[in-house]
Amino acid sequence: MERTKMKIRIRICLTLVLLTATRCSDYLEHLPDQRAELNSPEKVAELLASAYPRANYITFLEALSDNAEDKALTTSELINSEPWQFNDVPGRNEDTPDFYWQAAYAAIAASNQALETINNASDQTPYRASKGEALVTRAYAHFMLVTFFSRVYNPGTAATDPGIPYVTEPEKVVTQKYERKTVAYVYEQIEKDLEEGIPLLDNESYKEGAGRYHFTTTAAHGFATRFYLFKMDYAKVVAHANLAFPSGNILPSLRPINSEAYRALEPLVKLAEYTKADKPANLLLVEAPSLWARSLRGYRYGFNFNLLNKVVWNQNVTSGLWGYMFYGNEASLFTPKFREHFVKMDPNAEIGTPYNMIPLLTAEEVLFNRAEANARLGNYDATLKDLNDFASTRIIVNDTDEPYYDPARHTVTRARVLQFYHTTDIEAALIATVLDFKRVEFLFEGQRWFDIIRHHLQVVHVPYSRDNILTLGPNDPRRVLQIPQEAQSSGIELNPR
Amino acid sequence: MHVHRYTGITGRKIKLLLILLLAGFASLAETVGKVESLDEYLHRLEQQHHVSFVYDASEINRALKIETTEATSLEACLNLLRAIDITYKIVGDQVILQKAKRPPVIITGEVTEMVEGKSSPMVGVSIVEKGTNNGTMTDSKGAYRVLVKDHGTLVFSMVGYKTQEIIVGDETTLNVVLAEDVSVFNEVVVTGYQDVDKKLFTGSTINLKGSDVKQDGITDVSRMLAGRAAGVSVQNVSGTFGTAPKIRIRGATSITGDNKPLWVVDGVVLEDVVNISNEQLSTGDTKTLIGSSVAGLNADDIESFQILKDASATAQYGARAMNGVIVITTKKGRVGKPLISYTANFSTYRKPSYNTFNIMNSADQMSLYDELDRKGWETFGNSKRSPNGGVYVKMYDLIDQYDKTNGSFGLRNTPEARAAFLQGYARRNTDWFDELFRNSFMQEHSLGISSGTEKSQLYFSGSYLQDDGWTIADRVKRFTGNARANFNITDKLAIGLITQGAIRVQRAPGTVSRRSNPVEGKYDRDFDINPFSYAINTSRALTPRDDQGNLEFFKRNFAPFNIIHELENNTLDLTMIDLKLQGDVSYKIRPNLKYAFLGAVRYAKTNQEHKVYEHSNMAEAFRADGDAIIRQNNKFLYRNPDDPEAEPVVVLPYGGFYNTTDDYLVSYNLRNTLEWNKTFNDTHIVRVFGSQELRYADRQNKFFYGYGYQFDKGGVPYVDPNIIKQVVEGNFDFYGMGMTYDRFLAGMVNATYSYRTKYNLNGTLRYDGSNRLGKSRDARWLPTWNVSGSWNVDAENFMASQSIITRLTVRATYGLTASMGNATNSSLVLSTNKATRPYLPEIESVINIQDLENRELTWEKQYETNIGFDAAFFRERVTLTVDWYDRDGFDLISPLRTSAIGGQFVKSANYADMTSRGIEVTLGGTLYQGDHGGWKTQLTFAHNRNRVTNLKSTPTIWELVSSDGGPKEGYPYRGLFSVDFQGLNAENGSPYFINEKGETSNNVYLQSDITKYLKYEGPVDPTITGGLYNSFRYRNITLSALITFSAGNKIRLTPAFSSSYTDLDATPKEFLNRWMTSGDEKFTTVPSILDVRTLGSLDGVNPYAVYNYSDVRIADGGFVRLKQVSLSYLLPESWTSRLGATNLSVSLIANNPMLLYADKKLKGQDPEFFNSGGVATPIPQQYTLSLKAGF
């Protein structure tokens, strides 16, 4: 009797405990703080504002390229001197390849998180534009990673060259294993995401004024021209370039460098203007923590008068003068493009994070990509038209009494090109013109490196002392940046050295 | 009560019996004069007289012996029964027997106790007749009068005294002496969940009686534990009211966590209003003012502290108790007539003095400025450009001042005029401590009333504290109230109710948060007006008042500054309301099965108002735009990004600031417990205890920055839209609100088995669940467990033969404890920010992934082994407790570098390991005990050493060299490192170090994560802590002293060196030995003062900031401190009774009077105190007069 009573009691207790236990799980579902939950189209769209690699590659790309010479300053920074000496860049702070790697994968994580939410949504329609942006950003970040950390696309070896991990799922454990696979695989994935994403994009979905910080259809097509140029699919380059701008007309979007109004701006204003979102030439901008704007003049390995003479002031195919304005002396020569946006730790702090607005894609690049593709495709007149459009916004007669472009004197023709480059191969001459124009246009923007790896150009760095001249041959393994050491914890092999 | 018949005899049978009785009459004579049993006797009478007996068998014992004599009549025979107190009544043929009823007697008497050798009356002693409700209580003279049944038993009882039972005999006066039950507090361990017999308790614990550790004059009860409990380290990093000391029980258990013990008050966990880690306590930020969870408790309300240390002791707190538990029990009402106790403390603080600090006087200081002037620092042009300035800047500014009306200058630019001007200041030798501190007055009044009967006990108390402030900038008022009622409704049902409340109003110097500046190797705090750091950092050549007695202003942030004016115009007002309602019900379902429920609600609200008046320096700095140079250099002006070429402009044209911060806490606690006890055959004691609980806490923090508030123009704000634009463009918020939600569930079973209380075995299993571990049901629930055992050796037979060891218990524990780490990335953490872009149209809201989901996130855990014993020798004259423990922490949360491919390079993950080991000793003794006095002593000692055994995070140099130290694998949880000093440069006297590349250089990159060239100095936390307490009594006088000590840690000296100095800086006397000329580097390690040109040649490198973090600037942290000396006098009874009181005492107390030993290198720097500015002040020397009275 006593025992059964006891049993009943125990049973009652257990049921109570179980009852409370089931209630418990609801009780413990409460989030510990006000963290945003990714559950609406608006929030997914806001998350995608972080799906762009917020890192600056210019510092190491300029130093690696032939746009940098030894200015023989007494002090030097590792983030500038190591890439110039073709060494692996130490550290993982802003302006290093490691930092770019982290930022690019962080951008990819945002894209993947957005895609996971979209794919789990019962109704995907309101997410259409975001899905497009997520796919294109994912393609972009992976493309930049494969360009820096793998060998440049080569149809012959892409199927065996190690790629970089193409991540499509949000990571949920502390250490996940990944595979590099191959460059060909990465390119396939990029193409797939890009082609699927572009039609879904909607320029109206972005906040007015901030659209240039997102993949608009123009920017996405612009990125596609770069991708296909690397992939050597020239027809697609031309097709996407024509889709990027209304009726393929890029000229109105080019920067009015040689215009009277632009040339008259104060240097500080010029600095600010170059990376403003309301400039049509800026197809895609990103805010990135970087010391580039404040240091580009002071780095030991950089742009100097020798380069200015060689690259800019020397004779060019138009026979006119480049209308770019340069400031500073031998030690601090620059053309105004970057202005630092210093984000303080608190409103009155003197310390904080310096941000640079980086133009990732510009109308000029799309124009050059189309020009180069057309040259490859044999559409030489089309190439010449683009080159002349470009020259019309850059070239002046001289900067004293005739600071304007004169079509009569400056128009580039087949004959002029052949003569200037001492060749009979019109395709080669046009491509040389494109590369030269690009080099001038993108000084201080890092773009030169893309042409160096794509065209396997040799880079020679001559120390001021003239000892130990450094040469980066066309197939030098140092053209491929080293993957961060920590990646080995995910089973990633480093690049050969 | 049933009335039984003696036999079941019917009428007919009785007749028959009578015949038989008559027949046997002759035989009766033989029985005369003999002793027989009552049973036999009655039986005989029944036969003789044909009667039957009716009586209550429980009242009359048949086995009683009775002497019988020859008697013939029934009455005569029955009268014999009177001898054994039995009366009779004949009803027909029945005789009803009854125990003789004696009249009740009145007993009077006096209850006393022996106090210091003489008897003293006891008031409120309960006197109850056993087994009845009849009772009374002693009056104020200890007398009582009670009507009690003859031969009844009186029970004399009082809490804290041994109960006495006395059977009433012939005496009608019973004088009783009650003896104090010394074991009563030691015998029960209060875990907060249940009260456990100490004999059965197997864990490591310390009990401190509230009245024993109370330090009159010390307002925060947590500070009273210093030196009194082995293994509890209390570091007073700041002495400001409301700031918590850094308390650790057995050292740290977590690398990134708070490492704070859990406070439990009357069974309810005291939630912090804001979560402040032990490291944050030393920042001096306003948040630290609400850092002490127990600041709202009145020390007089505390009955006891129970410190639970090992896994077994803390088991019932499961996954929150890794850092130990401090259980506070507040006073309950006690049975007796109302008892009133009143305490008044009057304290005064001593001003700090320059004698103890190593700071130059104004003459030395001026000659140093003269050198600065010669080295080009105070040049005429510079004076205007410099945002801050003292005497020299003032001089140059006066020279520059030209009055057009009379053509005179503020100061003539002649060597004579200048010398005269400067000499005036050189002679001032301002005592800033005298200006900014005061020998203040603090009073504290506390009144408690206790009353009760067996059925209900009440305790009420109220206290008032007013501290006029040690500095001219702070003051505090605190009110506390406490009402506690306990009702024993029936034998089975008891109900308790507690209402506790505290109100606090405090003023502190206005301050903004400190920020770590690894770029320049320092901590920045704008507009710091902390009086203590001002006094030790400001030149003594500066003057607070001019010759006319008016406030004299110098320059700070391009605006006029005078510290006294600023402290009046830039204030922080804090108010706090804290209310707790608590109820508990216990019900005895069966005698050995008890159910209890406990529920509590707490509501705490704090509000901080930072008021910056119009004419404060802080507001004026935003308006300083005197000339183009100032406009260009004043960082408080607004630069419009839309107009890069424009000059910065003022955005605070009128008013000041009104910035508020509010913190709210709402918390609920519910708990059900079931306890079952059974003892089998007096041998096997089994106890099972189960509990289930729920915790809920919502915290809200909100802040608002009010710009342009015009305090003296009717409180109307004037907001310049540009100031908001500036804030938004800078990616900041001018208001904000944040919530955190804590949800917690737990269930626990604890079982104890004891064999004759000799061998005890204890086991606990607990499940905890928290919402902070995400949606995964596996991670969310954590089981913790432990097993422990103890052996009461003294109960063994072989111990009976000796008399040295009175008591000996050996204990051992092994178990798993856990705690919630600081990570919240169990699910994806998104944070919404504004895009960090320069122009308003481009700025948009961005959701960033702050932390990826970490499915594997779990609790931080540790296995703990504890072995210890408690012993008493020579009849408790000497007691000794020793504990040894070993802790293996694992799954500790720390930052971990990953491949970054998932999108997050550094993740919070459970992977780090740490071990710690220690020993704790408490030795107590009554060294002398006589009729007139005694000497009691207690020594506590603890040693703890911990080591991080697995840690992948790589801290930067800055994180390891700054005063809080940092974690590194192979070193203690917080190790202090130094940059390796390599001597001075022979050319300019600037210091050299081994830098992050291993080279000798004057350039060390503090943000580098290459730390292998740093020099390890030692742990930041002391490895040895303890205290020595002595108390001497002679008759009515008691003298006690507490000495605390700690050792084994290293301290970073306050940064004093800089590559440039201004004429505001106070410099330490070390500067007198500084490098002056080439060759000095052989004799001194004190670097030179640079001239402007040399500084320029250093190229932005700052070796002087690094010098502050070198191995030269390290001191040993060990110290011995005389913490308290107290002298009390208990007034004689004759005086006391004349005032109608039962006791009266007067005490004089000196708190913190002396630092007996500290490293000489500290030169006045308090080894416990972190001079971080803001609201931090050291613990002052304090003298208190304390009056206590009981009625």
Side-chain angles (χ1 to χ4, degrees), chain B residues 1038-1102:
Chain B
T1038 309
L1039 173 69
S1040 70
L1042 173 67
I1043 291 169
T1044 61
F1045 56 86
S1046 84
N1049 61 318
K1050 290 284 190 273
I1051 296 175
R1052 170 76 50 210
L1053 294 172
T1054 307
F1057 293 86
S1058 165
S1059 53
S1060 64
Y1061 302 90
T1062 70
D1063 53 353
L1064 284 171
D1065 293 326
T1067 46
K1069 288 179 191 154
E1070 279 109 304
F1071 273 48
L1072 299 173
N1073 300 325
R1074 68 183 182 275
W1075 186 98
M1076 301 284 269
T1077 179
S1078 280
D1080 285 359
E1081 66 277 1
K1082 295 189 184 75
F1083 311 106
T1084 182
T1085 57
V1086 183
S1088 63
I1089 291 172
L1090 291 182
D1091 58 49
V1092 175
R1093 196 184 48 82
T1094 318
L1095 178 72
S1097 74
L1098 288 178
D1099 232 5
V1101 167
N1102 190 350

Side-chain angles (χ1 to χ4, degrees), chain A residues 24 27 29-30 32 34-35 46 54 92 101 171-174 207 214 268 277 344 346 348 490, chain B residues 515 635 645 695 732 739 741 745 771 824 827 841-845 848 855-856 897 899 907 1009:
Chain A
C24 304
Y27 178 73
E29 291 289 311
H30 205 297
Q34 286 171 300
R35 64 185 64 175
E46 286 187 25
R54 284 174 289 192
R92 52 180 78 81
W101 168 279
E171 186 177 270
K172 293 186 176 176
V173 294
V174 176
K207 179 189 175 254
H214 294 266
L268 280 179
K344 296 174 183 175
D346 67 59
N348 299 322
S490 282
Chain B
R515 59 177 169 261
K635 64 174 181 173
E645 301 274 349
R695 223 159 44 75
F732 297 105
M739 296 284 306
Y741 310 94
L745 286 170
N771 68 328
T824 53
S827 64
E842 296 176 359
I843 296 176
E844 62 183 324
S845 179
N848 287 298
R855 268 194 189 149
E856 298 154 329
R897 286 180 177 172
S899 65
K907 289 184 178 182
D1009 57 13

Side-chain angles (χ1 to χ4, degrees), chain A residues 315-321 384 387-388 391 395 405-426 429-430 432-433 437:
Chain A
Q315 273 277 310
N316 69 57
V317 71
T318 66
S319 83
L321 292 179
L384 283 169
L387 289 174
N388 282 317
I395 297 293
Y405 175 76
D406 180 359
R409 278 185 266 182
H410 297 143
T411 301
V412 183
T413 61
R414 289 191 193 205
R416 248 185 163 160
V417 179
L418 290 172
Q419 187 205 348
F420 186 81
Y421 288 100
H422 310 290
T423 178
T424 52
D425 182 348
I426 182 66
L430 285 173
T433 312
F437 278 22

